[in-house]
Amino acid sequence: MTESVPGHRLLELVAVMDRLRSPGGCPWDARQTHASLLRYLVEESYEVVDAVENGTREELRDELGDLLLQVVFHARVAAEDPAEGFDVDDVADAIVAKLVRRHPHVFDGEVAAEDLQARWDAIKASEKPRGSVLDGVPLQLPALARADKVLGRLQRAGLAEPAAAPEGLDEEAVGERLLELVRTAHAAGVDPEAALRTATRRLERAAREDERAARA
């Protein structure tokens, strides 16, 4: 493989990770598990966000490298499973297949649907049949991100009406409103994160009941 091919340095990263994890490598790397690495995966993800919002291009490059390491590290740990092992090539193969499958308007010559989001959702539903449109929303997401995800799913499925956006409401105005709500919650002795999680769970329960009623 020539050095002009994009991605050729990824092979070096895989080789370095293999050496660190193998006998004679790094004892710390060798004893890590998927579970023990989770904190680093979360931390590195947030550091990428911080680099995008506040850092330099060099900092973003470095943080993306740290995040990439986590993917390669997890794949190397997975390769050692004697029963259900997979490696970084399997990971790459799966995501390539998924991207091609979910973009038929790009790779299969199909005419692009008017609503690409609806087309995307339909393809995902055919890949992973679910009992609810809310299945697969991670419980570990921060409360605000999870609420946004749940509302988005329900709105696209026609199970919740989208709110009308007030005129002139921009990112700064939304941020100020949220900050004021947090300030009010603090004054009332209410944990805003917990409160939003509870409200989102109530919304989910009601939506799932509506889905069951519709199927019945």
XYZ file of all heavy atoms in Angstrom, residues 127-191:
473
model
N -33.632 -3.203 9.223
C -32.421 -3.868 9.713
C -32.616 -4.419 11.118
O -32.159 -5.516 11.447
C -31.257 -2.871 9.732
C -30.817 -2.391 8.367
C -29.807 -1.267 8.476
O -29.565 -0.768 9.599
O -29.261 -0.880 7.444
N -33.279 -3.620 11.954
C -33.457 -3.987 13.359
C -34.918 -3.815 13.747
O -35.320 -2.770 14.245
C -32.591 -3.107 14.260
C -31.100 -3.247 14.024
C -30.315 -2.338 14.957
C -28.824 -2.481 14.751
N -28.052 -1.585 15.650
N -35.727 -4.855 13.474
C -37.142 -4.761 13.843
C -37.273 -4.509 15.345
O -36.671 -5.198 16.162
C -37.698 -6.138 13.466
C -36.744 -6.656 12.429
C -35.399 -6.128 12.819
N -38.054 -3.487 15.696
C -38.202 -3.119 17.094
C -39.674 -3.031 17.464
O -40.522 -2.741 16.615
C -37.508 -1.780 17.366
C -35.984 -1.880 17.311
C -35.328 -0.522 17.304
N -33.878 -0.621 17.473
C -33.027 0.358 17.231
N -33.482 1.518 16.797
N -31.736 0.189 17.417
N -39.941 -3.258 18.730
C -41.314 -3.184 19.201
C -41.798 -1.766 19.382
O -43.007 -1.525 19.477
N -40.876 -0.816 19.434
C -41.233 0.573 19.657
C -40.250 1.464 18.919
O -39.081 1.112 18.745
C -41.203 0.912 21.151
O -41.296 2.308 21.369
N -40.717 2.642 18.500
C -39.814 3.596 17.854
C -38.778 4.117 18.837
O -37.763 4.693 18.445
C -40.595 4.787 17.254
C -41.534 4.310 16.166
C -41.345 5.564 18.324
N -39.016 3.890 20.133
C -38.092 4.373 21.161
C -37.031 3.349 21.537
O -36.101 3.670 22.275
C -38.876 4.778 22.414
C -39.848 5.940 22.225
C -40.637 6.187 23.506
C -39.119 7.197 21.809
N -37.151 2.136 21.038
C -36.137 1.127 21.336
C -34.797 1.578 20.770
O -34.716 2.094 19.649
C -36.522 -0.217 20.719
C -37.677 -0.880 21.445
O -38.059 -0.383 22.523
O -38.204 -1.886 20.930
N -33.754 1.385 21.550
C -32.416 1.725 21.089
C -31.935 3.100 21.483
O -30.793 3.452 21.194
N -32.774 3.900 22.149
C -32.303 5.190 22.659
C -31.527 4.914 23.942
O -32.100 4.423 24.914
C -33.474 6.148 22.949
C -32.939 7.465 23.509
C -34.293 6.403 21.693
N -30.232 5.199 23.982
C -29.415 4.805 25.144
C -29.865 5.466 26.442
O -30.077 6.687 26.498
C -28.005 5.268 24.761
C -28.029 5.411 23.281
C -29.410 5.842 22.933
N -30.009 4.666 27.478
C -30.370 5.200 28.793
C -29.250 6.058 29.368
O -29.494 6.921 30.207
C -30.672 4.042 29.752
C -31.950 3.242 29.473
C -31.990 1.997 30.362
C -33.195 4.089 29.708
N -28.018 5.823 28.914
C -26.874 6.522 29.490
C -26.683 7.935 28.941
O -25.823 8.670 29.429
C -25.594 5.708 29.247
C -25.548 4.376 29.984
C -26.340 3.284 29.276
O -26.827 3.486 28.164
N -26.461 2.136 29.905
N -27.444 8.320 27.934
C -27.297 9.675 27.404
C -27.593 10.707 28.482
O -28.445 10.487 29.340
C -28.269 9.890 26.237
C -27.906 9.332 24.873
C -29.057 9.558 23.898
C -26.638 9.960 24.333
N -26.925 11.851 28.445
C -27.312 12.939 29.350
C -28.790 13.271 29.145
O -29.334 13.099 28.051
C -26.400 14.086 28.907
C -25.224 13.415 28.287
C -25.764 12.197 27.615
N -29.428 13.762 30.202
C -30.875 13.942 30.186
C -31.353 14.808 29.029
O -32.351 14.481 28.370
C -31.330 14.535 31.516
N -30.663 15.911 28.771
C -31.109 16.820 27.720
C -30.971 16.175 26.342
O -31.872 16.279 25.499
C -30.321 18.123 27.787
C -30.840 19.278 26.922
C -32.283 19.613 27.278
C -29.950 20.507 27.101
N -29.850 15.503 26.094
C -29.634 14.832 24.812
C -30.649 13.710 24.624
O -31.164 13.487 23.520
C -28.210 14.277 24.730
N -30.958 13.008 25.723
C -31.917 11.900 25.622
C -33.326 12.419 25.357
O -34.075 11.841 24.566
C -31.877 11.064 26.888
C -32.605 9.743 26.736
C -32.258 8.748 27.835
N -32.745 7.446 27.455
C -34.022 7.056 27.629
N -34.877 7.879 28.197
N -34.414 5.865 27.227
N -33.695 13.506 26.019
C -35.017 14.093 25.784
C -35.157 14.521 24.330
O -36.202 14.307 23.696
C -35.232 15.278 26.723
N -34.119 15.131 23.781
C -34.137 15.565 22.390
C -34.279 14.371 21.450
O -35.030 14.418 20.468
C -32.853 16.334 22.084
C -32.802 16.831 20.653
O -33.655 17.644 20.279
O -31.905 16.394 19.908
N -33.580 13.277 21.773
C -33.635 12.073 20.947
C -35.025 11.457 20.989
O -35.588 11.065 19.961
C -32.605 11.066 21.461
C -32.341 9.897 20.534
C -31.354 10.277 19.471
C -30.867 9.067 18.706
N -29.970 9.440 17.594
N -35.596 11.352 22.184
C -36.930 10.760 22.351
C -37.969 11.596 21.609
O -38.814 11.060 20.869
C -37.288 10.643 23.844
C -38.780 10.342 24.026
C -36.454 9.544 24.495
N -37.937 12.901 21.789
C -38.909 13.767 21.114
C -38.769 13.669 19.590
O -39.772 13.632 18.869
C -38.718 15.217 21.561
C -39.255 15.556 22.948
C -38.788 16.940 23.374
C -40.782 15.483 22.972
N -37.534 13.619 19.111
C -37.317 13.496 17.673
C -37.908 12.213 17.116
O -38.559 12.217 16.065
N -37.692 11.097 17.824
C -38.243 9.817 17.378
C -39.769 9.868 17.347
O -40.404 9.402 16.395
C -37.786 8.704 18.334
C -36.306 8.356 18.295
C -36.008 7.265 17.264
N -34.633 6.809 17.369
C -34.260 5.677 17.971
N -35.179 4.915 18.561
N -33.001 5.310 17.997
N -40.361 10.391 18.411
C -41.822 10.432 18.501
C -42.424 11.345 17.440
O -43.463 11.028 16.857
C -42.246 10.899 19.897
C -41.899 9.956 21.052
C -42.375 10.538 22.378
C -42.525 8.577 20.830
N -41.778 12.464 17.188
C -42.305 13.389 16.177
C -42.244 12.778 14.784
O -43.196 12.891 14.009
C -41.538 14.706 16.242
C -41.859 15.532 17.472
C -40.925 16.713 17.660
O -40.062 16.977 16.823
N -41.074 17.426 18.770
N -41.137 12.114 14.457
C -41.023 11.508 13.128
C -42.016 10.365 12.953
O -42.448 10.093 11.829
C -39.596 11.010 12.898
C -38.580 12.124 12.747
C -37.313 11.637 12.067
N -36.650 10.567 12.772
C -35.780 10.738 13.760
N -35.494 11.952 14.178
N -35.206 9.700 14.332
N -42.377 9.711 14.061
C -43.333 8.608 13.989
C -44.776 9.088 14.088
O -45.709 8.285 14.028
C -43.054 7.598 15.109
N -44.982 10.383 14.241
C -46.328 10.922 14.348
C -46.966 10.705 15.698
O -48.187 10.813 15.846
N -46.154 10.424 16.709
C -46.666 10.179 18.050
C -46.566 11.410 18.945
O -46.980 11.370 20.107
C -45.916 9.016 18.701
C -46.090 7.660 18.004
C -45.161 6.619 18.612
C -47.540 7.188 18.116
N -46.003 12.475 18.431
C -45.913 13.732 19.176
C -45.907 14.878 18.180
O -45.287 14.780 17.119
C -44.653 13.767 20.041
N -46.613 15.930 18.522
C -46.664 17.096 17.647
C -45.431 17.967 17.877
O -45.095 18.281 19.022
C -47.927 17.911 17.935
C -49.207 17.244 17.472
C -49.287 17.118 15.960
O -48.758 18.011 15.267
O -49.842 16.120 15.486
N -44.758 18.357 16.809
C -43.622 19.274 16.992
C -44.113 20.636 17.452
O -45.184 21.094 17.047
C -43.002 19.342 15.596
C -44.104 18.951 14.659
C -44.966 17.985 15.397
N -43.342 21.254 18.318
C -43.707 22.584 18.809
C -43.438 23.625 17.733
O -42.525 23.478 16.922
C -42.908 22.908 20.070
N -44.247 24.649 17.738
C -44.018 25.761 16.813
C -42.873 26.611 17.358
O -42.895 27.018 18.523
C -45.283 26.597 16.676
N -41.874 26.850 16.528
C -40.716 27.626 16.971
C -41.082 29.108 17.049
O -41.515 29.683 16.049
C -39.552 27.428 16.012
N -40.947 29.725 18.218
C -41.222 31.161 18.330
C -40.314 31.957 17.399
O -39.151 31.606 17.203
C -40.909 31.463 19.799
C -41.006 30.147 20.491
C -40.547 29.131 19.490
N -40.838 33.010 16.834
C -40.062 33.824 15.915
C -38.868 34.452 16.639
O -38.995 34.950 17.754
C -40.944 34.924 15.323
C -40.261 35.717 14.228
C -41.191 36.718 13.578
O -42.421 36.629 13.827
O -40.704 37.583 12.839
N -37.726 34.374 16.003
C -36.528 34.987 16.569
C -35.810 34.146 17.605
O -34.826 34.597 18.204
N -36.282 32.933 17.827
C -35.632 32.071 18.822
C -34.401 31.423 18.204
O -34.510 30.636 17.265
C -36.605 30.989 19.300
C -36.126 30.123 20.469
C -35.971 30.958 21.724
C -37.093 28.968 20.713
N -33.219 31.774 18.700
C -31.995 31.209 18.176
C -31.254 30.452 19.273
O -31.756 30.296 20.381
C -31.108 32.299 17.576
C -30.787 33.412 18.582
O -31.023 33.217 19.795
O -30.302 34.471 18.148
N -30.052 29.976 18.948
C -29.283 29.168 19.894
C -29.000 29.921 21.184
O -29.116 29.368 22.284
C -27.972 28.725 19.247
C -27.110 27.846 20.146
C -25.864 27.357 19.435
O -25.976 26.845 18.305
O -24.774 27.494 20.020
N -28.652 31.197 21.056
C -28.344 31.986 22.247
C -29.572 32.133 23.136
O -29.488 31.992 24.365
C -27.829 33.363 21.844
C -27.438 34.234 23.038
C -26.873 35.575 22.621
O -26.690 35.795 21.409
O -26.606 36.406 23.509
N -30.727 32.377 22.526
C -31.955 32.548 23.300
C -32.358 31.249 23.992
O -32.794 31.256 25.156
C -33.087 33.036 22.392
N -32.208 30.134 23.282
C -32.524 28.834 23.883
C -31.601 28.574 25.064
O -32.029 28.118 26.133
C -32.403 27.702 22.841
C -32.485 26.338 23.531
C -33.504 27.816 21.802
N -30.318 28.854 24.883
C -29.359 28.664 25.969
C -29.714 29.479 27.193
O -29.633 28.995 28.333
N -30.129 30.725 26.987
C -30.501 31.589 28.115
C -31.739 31.054 28.823
O -31.830 31.096 30.057
C -30.739 33.019 27.622
C -29.474 33.745 27.180
C -28.475 33.891 28.319
O -28.905 34.037 29.487
O -27.257 33.866 28.050
N -32.701 30.556 28.060
C -33.908 29.997 28.677
C -33.585 28.764 29.511
O -34.096 28.598 30.617
C -34.936 29.640 27.596
C -35.610 30.832 26.940
C -36.783 30.374 26.100
N -37.419 31.482 25.409
C -38.566 31.359 24.729
N -39.168 30.185 24.662
N -39.085 32.408 24.133
N -32.737 27.906 28.950
C -32.363 26.704 29.685
C -31.596 27.064 30.955
O -31.823 26.473 32.022
C -31.515 25.792 28.798
C -32.249 25.084 27.657
C -31.248 24.378 26.746
C -33.260 24.086 28.197
N -30.695 28.026 30.837
C -29.914 28.439 32.000
C -30.819 29.020 33.081
O -30.629 28.754 34.273
C -28.864 29.462 31.577
C -27.843 29.875 32.642
C -27.069 28.664 33.150
C -26.883 30.924 32.075
N -31.807 29.800 32.677
C -32.732 30.384 33.647
C -33.564 29.296 34.323
O -33.836 29.354 35.529
C -33.652 31.393 32.950
C -34.613 32.098 33.886
C -33.893 32.845 35.002
O -32.792 33.374 34.753
O -34.434 32.878 36.138
N -33.945 28.256 33.566
C -34.702 27.153 34.138
C -33.856 26.376 35.142
O -34.342 25.978 36.211
C -35.179 26.224 33.023
C -36.173 25.124 33.411
C -37.409 25.719 34.088
C -36.579 24.311 32.185
N -32.584 26.187 34.822
C -31.671 25.517 35.756
C -31.513 26.363 37.018
O -31.503 25.837 38.142
C -30.298 25.264 35.095
C -29.285 24.775 36.122
C -30.428 24.260 33.957
N -31.392 27.671 36.856
C -31.273 28.571 38.003
C -32.516 28.475 38.895
O -32.424 28.425 40.129
C -31.080 30.005 37.517
C -30.843 31.012 38.641
C -30.669 32.430 38.100
N -29.431 32.552 37.331
C -29.364 32.779 36.027
N -30.486 32.908 35.313
N -28.205 32.905 35.428
N -33.688 28.412 38.278
C -34.934 28.290 39.024
C -35.004 26.954 39.753
O -35.418 26.886 40.917
C -36.137 28.431 38.067
O -36.073 29.686 37.400
C -37.445 28.334 38.832
N -34.603 25.884 39.066
C -34.612 24.556 39.683
C -33.672 24.525 40.889
O -34.002 23.958 41.939
C -34.207 23.501 38.664
N -32.504 25.139 40.741
C -31.540 25.183 41.840
C -32.134 25.911 43.050
O -31.983 25.466 44.196
C -30.267 25.874 41.374
C -29.204 25.946 42.424
N -28.442 24.855 42.792
C -28.773 26.978 43.193
C -27.598 25.219 43.744
N -27.780 26.497 44.006
N -32.807 27.018 42.780
C -33.412 27.779 43.877
C -34.501 26.978 44.586
O -34.715 27.132 45.791
C -34.001 29.086 43.334
N -35.168 26.109 43.831
C -36.242 25.294 44.411
C -35.726 23.996 45.017
O -36.511 23.199 45.548
C -37.287 24.987 43.345
N -34.411 23.758 44.933
C -33.849 22.527 45.477
C -34.137 21.310 44.626
O -34.180 20.183 45.121
N -34.351 21.517 43.316
C -34.671 20.427 42.398
C -33.471 20.140 41.504
O -32.854 21.075 40.970
C -35.894 20.786 41.518
C -36.130 19.719 40.469
C -37.127 20.969 42.388
N -33.127 18.869 41.354
C -32.055 18.463 40.453
C -32.608 18.493 39.031
O -33.449 17.659 38.671
C -31.582 17.049 40.802
C -30.464 16.556 39.901
O -30.209 17.185 38.847
O -29.850 15.524 40.223
